[in-house]
């Protein structure tokens, strides 16, 4: 795989660089799914509780 030049990358500065989801990120997706007040305010919806399989599918 070739090296990517991030010097002009929009979503990066000296403190932050965003990256794509990786397979091992499923656990964070799962635990953050329990933050109901934030999810209700941001999405204007009530969601069912998260599942481990759903978090893994999302990250895939």
């Amino acid at each position: 795989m070739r090296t990517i030049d991030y010097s002009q990358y929009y979503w990066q500065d000296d403190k932050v660089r965003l990256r794509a989801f990786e397979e091992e990120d499923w656990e964070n997706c799962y635990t953050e799914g329990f933050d109901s007040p934030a999810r209700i305010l941001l999405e204007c919806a009530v969601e069912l509780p998260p599942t481990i399989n759903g978090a893994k599918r999302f990250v895939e």
Side-chain angles (χ1 to χ4, degrees):
M1 186 172 175
R2 69 178 199 202
T3 304
I4 299 172
D5 176 15
Y6 289 108
S7 64
Q8 300 298 315
Y9 190 53
Y10 180 78
W11 295 106
Q12 173 180 296
D13 65 13
D14 294 339
K15 296 181 182 180
V16 175
R17 180 177 63 158
L18 298 181
R19 65 170 178 77
F21 281 112
E22 295 179 1
E23 190 173 335
E24 55 273 4
D25 293 332
W26 72 266
E27 192 170 356
N28 286 338
C29 291
Y30 174 69
T31 55
E32 290 171 6
F34 288 100
D35 189 5
S36 296
R39 296 180 73 79
I40 291 169
L41 289 172
L42 291 171
E43 298 180 14
C44 299
V46 176
E47 296 182 354
L48 295 173
T51 63
I52 291 173
N53 286 337
K56 288 180 179 180
R57 277 194 309 269
F58 176 78
V59 171
E60 287 174 356

